[in-house]
mmCIF file of all heavy atoms in Angstrom:
data_model
loop_
_atom_site.group_PDB
_atom_site.id
_atom_site.type_symbol
_atom_site.label_atom_id
_atom_site.label_comp_id
_atom_site.label_asym_id
_atom_site.label_seq_id
_atom_site.Cartn_x
_atom_site.Cartn_y
_atom_site.Cartn_z
ATOM 1 N N ALA A 685 9.715 48.276 2.388
ATOM 2 C CA ALA A 685 8.888 49.446 2.696
ATOM 3 C C ALA A 685 8.387 50.035 1.388
ATOM 4 O O ALA A 685 9.120 50.091 0.396
ATOM 5 C CB ALA A 685 9.699 50.487 3.463
ATOM 6 N N ALA A 687 6.047 53.308 -0.440
ATOM 7 C CA ALA A 687 5.408 54.624 -0.337
ATOM 8 C C ALA A 687 4.211 54.643 -1.278
ATOM 9 O O ALA A 687 4.345 54.336 -2.477
ATOM 10 C CB ALA A 687 6.397 55.727 -0.712
ATOM 11 N N LYS A 690 4.321 56.173 -4.785
ATOM 12 C CA LYS A 690 5.111 55.578 -5.865
ATOM 13 C C LYS A 690 4.394 54.428 -6.563
ATOM 14 O O LYS A 690 4.938 53.845 -7.515
ATOM 15 C CB LYS A 690 6.457 55.097 -5.312
ATOM 16 C CG LYS A 690 7.330 56.257 -4.841
ATOM 17 C CD LYS A 690 8.613 55.793 -4.171
ATOM 18 C CE LYS A 690 9.377 57.014 -3.661
ATOM 19 N NZ LYS A 690 10.430 56.656 -2.701
ATOM 20 N N THR A 708 5.645 46.863 4.079
ATOM 21 C CA THR A 708 5.464 47.778 5.203
ATOM 22 C C THR A 708 5.233 49.175 4.643
ATOM 23 O O THR A 708 6.056 49.655 3.857
ATOM 24 C CB THR A 708 6.725 47.820 6.095
ATOM 25 O OG1 THR A 708 7.099 46.507 6.472
ATOM 26 C CG2 THR A 708 6.474 48.655 7.350
ATOM 27 N N PRO A 709 4.149 49.847 4.988
ATOM 28 C CA PRO A 709 4.007 51.246 4.564
ATOM 29 C C PRO A 709 5.108 52.089 5.211
ATOM 30 O O PRO A 709 5.299 52.037 6.434
ATOM 31 C CB PRO A 709 2.634 51.657 5.098
ATOM 32 C CG PRO A 709 1.919 50.376 5.390
ATOM 33 C CD PRO A 709 2.994 49.405 5.783
ATOM 34 N N GLU A 710 5.845 52.853 4.397
ATOM 35 C CA GLU A 710 6.995 53.581 4.959
ATOM 36 C C GLU A 710 6.536 54.671 5.930
ATOM 37 O O GLU A 710 7.189 54.903 6.955
ATOM 38 C CB GLU A 710 7.840 54.193 3.833
ATOM 39 C CG GLU A 710 9.119 54.832 4.347
ATOM 40 C CD GLU A 710 10.055 55.268 3.240
ATOM 41 O OE1 GLU A 710 9.726 55.075 2.052
ATOM 42 O OE2 GLU A 710 11.129 55.814 3.569
ATOM 43 N N ASN A 711 5.442 55.350 5.614
ATOM 44 C CA ASN A 711 4.946 56.435 6.478
ATOM 45 C C ASN A 711 3.433 56.435 6.678
ATOM 46 O O ASN A 711 2.938 57.090 7.581
ATOM 47 C CB ASN A 711 5.334 57.792 5.869
ATOM 48 C CG ASN A 711 6.838 58.031 5.942
ATOM 49 O OD1 ASN A 711 7.409 58.074 7.028
ATOM 50 N ND2 ASN A 711 7.476 58.149 4.782
ATOM 51 N N GLU A 712 2.698 55.715 5.862
ATOM 52 C CA GLU A 712 1.252 55.925 5.742
ATOM 53 C C GLU A 712 0.427 55.406 6.898
ATOM 54 O O GLU A 712 -0.749 55.757 7.017
ATOM 55 C CB GLU A 712 0.760 55.300 4.425
ATOM 56 C CG GLU A 712 1.254 55.990 3.164
ATOM 57 C CD GLU A 712 2.707 55.666 2.780
ATOM 58 O OE1 GLU A 712 3.413 54.973 3.555
ATOM 59 O OE2 GLU A 712 3.127 56.098 1.702
ATOM 60 N N LYS A 714 1.559 55.720 10.098
ATOM 61 C CA LYS A 714 2.025 56.400 11.311
ATOM 62 C C LYS A 714 0.911 57.281 11.881
ATOM 63 O O LYS A 714 -0.064 57.618 11.201
ATOM 64 C CB LYS A 714 3.289 57.202 10.990
ATOM 65 C CG LYS A 714 4.477 56.282 10.684
ATOM 66 C CD LYS A 714 5.703 57.038 10.190
ATOM 67 C CE LYS A 714 6.810 56.036 9.856
ATOM 68 N NZ LYS A 714 8.005 56.697 9.258
ATOM 69 N N ASP A 716 0.668 60.454 12.680
ATOM 70 C CA ASP A 716 0.343 61.734 12.041
ATOM 71 C C ASP A 716 -0.431 61.534 10.741
ATOM 72 O O ASP A 716 -1.226 62.385 10.340
ATOM 73 C CB ASP A 716 1.608 62.582 11.805
ATOM 74 C CG ASP A 716 2.631 61.905 10.892
ATOM 75 O OD1 ASP A 716 2.516 60.684 10.632
ATOM 76 O OD2 ASP A 716 3.559 62.600 10.447
ATOM 77 N N HIS A 747 2.958 49.508 10.434
ATOM 78 C CA HIS A 747 4.043 50.300 11.051
ATOM 79 C C HIS A 747 3.581 51.739 11.162
ATOM 80 O O HIS A 747 3.280 52.330 10.122
ATOM 81 C CB HIS A 747 5.293 50.195 10.172
ATOM 82 C CG HIS A 747 6.423 51.078 10.595
ATOM 83 N ND1 HIS A 747 7.290 50.715 11.605
ATOM 84 C CD2 HIS A 747 6.845 52.295 10.164
ATOM 85 C CE1 HIS A 747 8.193 51.671 11.744
ATOM 86 N NE2 HIS A 747 7.954 52.638 10.886
ATOM 87 N N ALA A 748 3.507 52.339 12.269
ATOM 88 C CA ALA A 748 3.702 51.845 13.628
ATOM 89 C C ALA A 748 2.602 52.513 14.457
ATOM 90 O O ALA A 748 2.301 53.675 14.228
ATOM 91 C CB ALA A 748 5.084 52.247 14.168
ATOM 92 N N TRP A 751 4.700 55.770 18.388
ATOM 93 C CA TRP A 751 6.107 56.150 18.211
ATOM 94 C C TRP A 751 6.214 57.602 18.636
ATOM 95 O O TRP A 751 5.323 58.399 18.299
ATOM 96 C CB TRP A 751 6.486 55.982 16.720
ATOM 97 C CG TRP A 751 7.909 56.270 16.372
ATOM 98 C CD1 TRP A 751 8.992 56.204 17.204
ATOM 99 C CD2 TRP A 751 8.413 56.654 15.076
ATOM 100 N NE1 TRP A 751 10.129 56.518 16.507
ATOM 101 C CE2 TRP A 751 9.797 56.803 15.197
ATOM 102 C CE3 TRP A 751 7.812 56.889 13.830
ATOM 103 C CZ2 TRP A 751 10.612 57.175 14.137
ATOM 104 C CZ3 TRP A 751 8.619 57.259 12.774
ATOM 105 C CH2 TRP A 751 10.010 57.386 12.919
ATOM 106 N N GLN A 753 8.130 59.786 17.541
ATOM 107 C CA GLN A 753 8.244 60.654 16.366
ATOM 108 C C GLN A 753 6.965 60.549 15.529
ATOM 109 O O GLN A 753 6.225 59.579 15.629
ATOM 110 C CB GLN A 753 9.436 60.249 15.501
ATOM 111 C CG GLN A 753 10.767 60.695 16.064
ATOM 112 C CD GLN A 753 11.909 60.425 15.102
ATOM 113 O OE1 GLN A 753 11.751 60.468 13.890
ATOM 114 N NE2 GLN A 753 13.063 60.115 15.663
ATOM 115 N N GLN A 754 6.767 61.519 14.665
ATOM 116 C CA GLN A 754 5.591 61.542 13.788
ATOM 117 C C GLN A 754 4.287 61.500 14.573
ATOM 118 O O GLN A 754 3.285 60.977 14.101
ATOM 119 C CB GLN A 754 5.652 60.400 12.757
ATOM 120 C CG GLN A 754 6.913 60.339 11.933
ATOM 121 C CD GLN A 754 7.246 61.610 11.188
ATOM 122 O OE1 GLN A 754 8.255 62.235 11.430
ATOM 123 N NE2 GLN A 754 6.369 62.024 10.284
ATOM 124 N N ASP A 790 3.954 46.649 14.178
ATOM 125 C CA ASP A 790 4.875 47.300 15.105
ATOM 126 C C ASP A 790 3.982 48.112 16.041
ATOM 127 O O ASP A 790 3.551 49.209 15.696
ATOM 128 C CB ASP A 790 5.853 48.220 14.359
ATOM 129 C CG ASP A 790 6.830 47.440 13.498
ATOM 130 O OD1 ASP A 790 7.158 46.292 13.879
ATOM 131 O OD2 ASP A 790 7.272 47.975 12.466
ATOM 132 N N ASN A 793 7.244 51.531 18.650
ATOM 133 C CA ASN A 793 8.482 51.727 17.902
ATOM 134 C C ASN A 793 9.448 52.597 18.709
ATOM 135 O O ASN A 793 9.040 53.644 19.242
ATOM 136 C CB ASN A 793 8.125 52.431 16.570
ATOM 137 C CG ASN A 793 9.250 52.430 15.569
ATOM 138 O OD1 ASN A 793 9.905 51.412 15.372
ATOM 139 N ND2 ASN A 793 9.476 53.565 14.939
ATOM 140 N N GLU A 794 10.681 52.155 18.824
ATOM 141 C CA GLU A 794 11.788 52.998 19.323
ATOM 142 C C GLU A 794 11.501 53.635 20.672
ATOM 143 O O GLU A 794 11.626 54.848 20.838
ATOM 144 C CB GLU A 794 12.121 54.064 18.271
ATOM 145 C CG GLU A 794 12.520 53.444 16.954
ATOM 146 C CD GLU A 794 12.771 54.470 15.838
ATOM 147 O OE1 GLU A 794 12.874 55.665 16.121
ATOM 148 O OE2 GLU A 794 12.880 54.028 14.670
ATOM 149 N N ASN A 836 9.582 47.143 18.005
ATOM 150 C CA ASN A 836 10.539 47.398 16.912
ATOM 151 C C ASN A 836 11.517 48.496 17.331
ATOM 152 O O ASN A 836 11.104 49.518 17.874
ATOM 153 C CB ASN A 836 9.734 47.861 15.685
ATOM 154 C CG ASN A 836 10.551 47.968 14.420
ATOM 155 O OD1 ASN A 836 11.282 47.042 14.071
ATOM 156 N ND2 ASN A 836 10.447 49.091 13.728
ATOM 157 N N ASP A 837 12.819 48.299 17.059
ATOM 158 C CA ASP A 837 13.792 49.341 17.441
ATOM 159 C C ASP A 837 15.070 49.218 16.602
ATOM 160 O O ASP A 837 15.249 48.249 15.855
ATOM 161 C CB ASP A 837 14.118 49.239 18.940
ATOM 162 C CG ASP A 837 14.361 50.612 19.583
ATOM 163 O OD1 ASP A 837 14.847 51.536 18.882
ATOM 164 O OD2 ASP A 837 14.066 50.758 20.788
ATOM 165 N N TYR A 838 15.923 50.254 16.706
ATOM 166 C CA TYR A 838 17.216 50.285 16.002
ATOM 167 C C TYR A 838 18.342 50.297 17.035
ATOM 168 O O TYR A 838 18.089 50.526 18.229
ATOM 169 C CB TYR A 838 17.308 51.523 15.092
ATOM 170 C CG TYR A 838 17.370 52.827 15.862
ATOM 171 C CD1 TYR A 838 18.593 53.394 16.215
ATOM 172 C CD2 TYR A 838 16.207 53.459 16.262
ATOM 173 C CE1 TYR A 838 18.657 54.575 16.945
ATOM 174 C CE2 TYR A 838 16.254 54.636 16.995
ATOM 175 C CZ TYR A 838 17.484 55.188 17.333
ATOM 176 O OH TYR A 838 17.540 56.350 18.066
ATOM 177 N N GLN A 870 15.571 46.689 13.313
ATOM 178 C CA GLN A 870 15.529 47.538 12.120
ATOM 179 C C GLN A 870 16.730 47.280 11.212
ATOM 180 O O GLN A 870 16.603 47.233 9.998
ATOM 181 C CB GLN A 870 15.448 49.005 12.525
ATOM 182 C CG GLN A 870 14.134 49.341 13.233
ATOM 183 C CD GLN A 870 13.991 50.815 13.549
ATOM 184 O OE1 GLN A 870 14.789 51.656 13.115
ATOM 185 N NE2 GLN A 870 12.964 51.159 14.311
ATOM 186 N N HIS A 872 19.468 49.204 10.375
ATOM 187 C CA HIS A 872 20.034 50.269 9.546
ATOM 188 C C HIS A 872 21.536 50.224 9.790
ATOM 189 O O HIS A 872 22.029 50.732 10.802
ATOM 190 C CB HIS A 872 19.455 51.633 9.943
ATOM 191 C CG HIS A 872 17.978 51.753 9.713
ATOM 192 N ND1 HIS A 872 17.434 51.719 8.445
ATOM 193 C CD2 HIS A 872 16.939 51.900 10.568
ATOM 194 C CE1 HIS A 872 16.101 51.850 8.540
ATOM 195 N NE2 HIS A 872 15.786 51.951 9.811
ATOM 196 N N THR A 898 13.430 44.247 10.114
ATOM 197 C CA THR A 898 12.286 45.064 9.703
ATOM 198 C C THR A 898 12.584 46.260 8.810
ATOM 199 O O THR A 898 11.679 46.736 8.125
ATOM 200 C CB THR A 898 11.540 45.580 10.951
ATOM 201 O OG1 THR A 898 12.504 46.189 11.821
ATOM 202 C CG2 THR A 898 10.825 44.453 11.659
ATOM 203 N N GLU A 899 13.812 46.787 8.819
ATOM 204 C CA GLU A 899 14.065 48.019 8.053
ATOM 205 C C GLU A 899 15.473 47.989 7.455
ATOM 206 O O GLU A 899 16.183 49.007 7.438
ATOM 207 C CB GLU A 899 13.898 49.263 8.948
ATOM 208 C CG GLU A 899 12.530 49.364 9.591
ATOM 209 C CD GLU A 899 12.341 50.626 10.438
ATOM 210 O OE1 GLU A 899 13.143 51.579 10.317
ATOM 211 O OE2 GLU A 899 11.374 50.656 11.227
ATOM 212 N N ASP A 901 18.803 48.311 5.664
ATOM 213 C CA ASP A 901 19.545 49.026 4.620
ATOM 214 C C ASP A 901 20.984 49.123 5.094
ATOM 215 O O ASP A 901 21.245 49.201 6.289
ATOM 216 C CB ASP A 901 18.929 50.391 4.251
ATOM 217 C CG ASP A 901 18.627 51.284 5.431
ATOM 218 O OD1 ASP A 901 19.185 51.067 6.526
ATOM 219 O OD2 ASP A 901 17.823 52.228 5.265
ATOM 220 N N TRP A 930 14.354 48.619 3.687
ATOM 221 C CA TRP A 930 13.629 49.894 3.881
ATOM 222 C C TRP A 930 13.638 50.695 2.579
ATOM 223 O O TRP A 930 14.251 51.752 2.482
ATOM 224 C CB TRP A 930 14.223 50.669 5.064
ATOM 225 C CG TRP A 930 13.216 51.607 5.680
ATOM 226 C CD1 TRP A 930 13.313 52.961 5.792
ATOM 227 C CD2 TRP A 930 11.957 51.254 6.279
ATOM 228 N NE1 TRP A 930 12.182 53.471 6.411
ATOM 229 C CE2 TRP A 930 11.337 52.443 6.721
ATOM 230 C CE3 TRP A 930 11.289 50.028 6.482
ATOM 231 C CZ2 TRP A 930 10.075 52.464 7.351
ATOM 232 C CZ3 TRP A 930 10.044 50.054 7.100
ATOM 233 C CH2 TRP A 930 9.457 51.264 7.524
ATOM 234 N N GLY A 931 12.916 50.143 1.596
ATOM 235 C CA GLY A 931 12.814 50.761 0.275
ATOM 236 C C GLY A 931 13.276 49.787 -0.797
ATOM 237 O O GLY A 931 13.808 48.710 -0.504
ATOM 238 N N ASP A 936 14.943 55.503 -3.541
ATOM 239 C CA ASP A 936 13.790 55.481 -2.637
ATOM 240 C C ASP A 936 14.204 55.595 -1.170
ATOM 241 O O ASP A 936 13.354 55.711 -0.297
ATOM 242 C CB ASP A 936 12.996 54.169 -2.802
ATOM 243 C CG ASP A 936 12.480 53.978 -4.217
ATOM 244 O OD1 ASP A 936 11.971 54.970 -4.789
ATOM 245 O OD2 ASP A 936 12.583 52.855 -4.746
ATOM 246 N N SER A 937 15.519 55.534 -0.904
ATOM 247 C CA SER A 937 15.973 55.433 0.485
ATOM 248 C C SER A 937 15.917 56.758 1.225
ATOM 249 O O SER A 937 16.219 57.810 0.669
ATOM 250 C CB SER A 937 17.414 54.918 0.514
ATOM 251 O OG SER A 937 17.907 54.935 1.843
ATOM 252 N N TRP A 938 15.583 56.686 2.515
ATOM 253 C CA TRP A 938 15.667 57.867 3.393
ATOM 254 C C TRP A 938 17.133 58.264 3.613
ATOM 255 O O TRP A 938 17.404 59.402 3.991
ATOM 256 C CB TRP A 938 15.006 57.568 4.750
ATOM 257 C CG TRP A 938 15.738 56.543 5.590
ATOM 258 C CD1 TRP A 938 15.921 55.224 5.292
ATOM 259 C CD2 TRP A 938 16.405 56.764 6.838
ATOM 260 N NE1 TRP A 938 16.652 54.600 6.281
ATOM 261 C CE2 TRP A 938 16.949 55.528 7.248
ATOM 262 C CE3 TRP A 938 16.574 57.871 7.665
ATOM 263 C CZ2 TRP A 938 17.672 55.376 8.441
ATOM 264 C CZ3 TRP A 938 17.281 57.719 8.851
ATOM 265 C CH2 TRP A 938 17.831 56.481 9.234
ATOM 266 N N ARG A 939 18.072 57.356 3.349
ATOM 267 C CA ARG A 939 19.495 57.656 3.546
ATOM 268 C C ARG A 939 20.065 58.206 2.236
ATOM 269 O O ARG A 939 20.845 57.549 1.543
ATOM 270 C CB ARG A 939 20.237 56.401 4.006
ATOM 271 C CG ARG A 939 19.741 55.879 5.332
ATOM 272 C CD ARG A 939 20.294 54.503 5.672
ATOM 273 N NE ARG A 939 21.729 54.523 5.992
ATOM 274 C CZ ARG A 939 22.416 53.463 6.403
ATOM 275 N NH1 ARG A 939 21.801 52.298 6.546
ATOM 276 N NH2 ARG A 939 23.703 53.550 6.672
HETATM 277 O O1 LIG B 1366 14.148 57.163 9.995
HETATM 278 C C1 LIG B 1366 14.262 55.932 9.367
HETATM 279 C C2 LIG B 1366 13.276 54.942 9.934
HETATM 280 C C3 LIG B 1366 13.643 54.619 11.388
HETATM 281 N N1 LIG B 1366 12.730 53.653 11.972
HETATM 282 C C4 LIG B 1366 11.315 53.997 11.862
HETATM 283 C C5 LIG B 1366 10.931 54.351 10.436
HETATM 284 O O2 LIG B 1366 9.579 54.769 10.396
HETATM 285 C C6 LIG B 1366 11.830 55.425 9.893
HETATM 286 O O3 LIG B 1366 11.389 55.698 8.535
HETATM 287 C C7 LIG B 1366 11.487 57.029 8.117
HETATM 288 C C8 LIG B 1366 10.986 57.141 6.697
HETATM 289 O O4 LIG B 1366 11.817 56.367 5.864
HETATM 290 C C9 LIG B 1366 11.022 58.600 6.239
HETATM 291 O O5 LIG B 1366 10.385 58.707 4.961
HETATM 292 O O6 LIG B 1366 10.705 57.833 8.963
HETATM 293 C C10 LIG B 1366 10.818 59.207 8.662
HETATM 294 C C11 LIG B 1366 10.044 59.989 9.691
HETATM 295 O O7 LIG B 1366 8.717 59.523 9.743
HETATM 296 C C12 LIG B 1366 10.304 59.466 7.245
HETATM 297 O O8 LIG B 1366 10.540 60.828 6.895
HETATM 298 C C13 LIG B 1366 9.409 61.580 6.628
HETATM 299 C C14 LIG B 1366 9.803 63.044 6.724
HETATM 300 O O9 LIG B 1366 10.227 63.307 8.068
HETATM 301 C C15 LIG B 1366 8.640 63.898 6.407
HETATM 302 O O10 LIG B 1366 9.030 65.243 6.401
HETATM 303 C C16 LIG B 1366 8.062 63.496 5.066
HETATM 304 O O11 LIG B 1366 6.877 64.218 4.806
HETATM 305 O O12 LIG B 1366 8.932 61.302 5.327
HETATM 306 C C17 LIG B 1366 7.762 62.009 5.037
HETATM 307 C C18 LIG B 1366 7.218 61.527 3.679
HETATM 308 O O13 LIG B 1366 8.196 61.630 2.699
#
Side-chain angles (χ1 to χ4, degrees):
K690 294 175 183 165
T708 307
E710 186 172 0
N711 291 299
E712 292 77 354
K714 291 173 182 175
D716 61 346
H747 173 82
W751 183 25
Q753 283 187 32
Q754 306 305 117
D790 292 330
N793 193 44
E794 301 176 13
N836 189 49
D837 215 329
Y838 68 92
Q870 294 184 9
H872 296 295
T898 51
E899 303 182 15
D901 50 19
W930 205 240
D936 301 316
S937 175
W938 68 295
R939 298 170 70 175

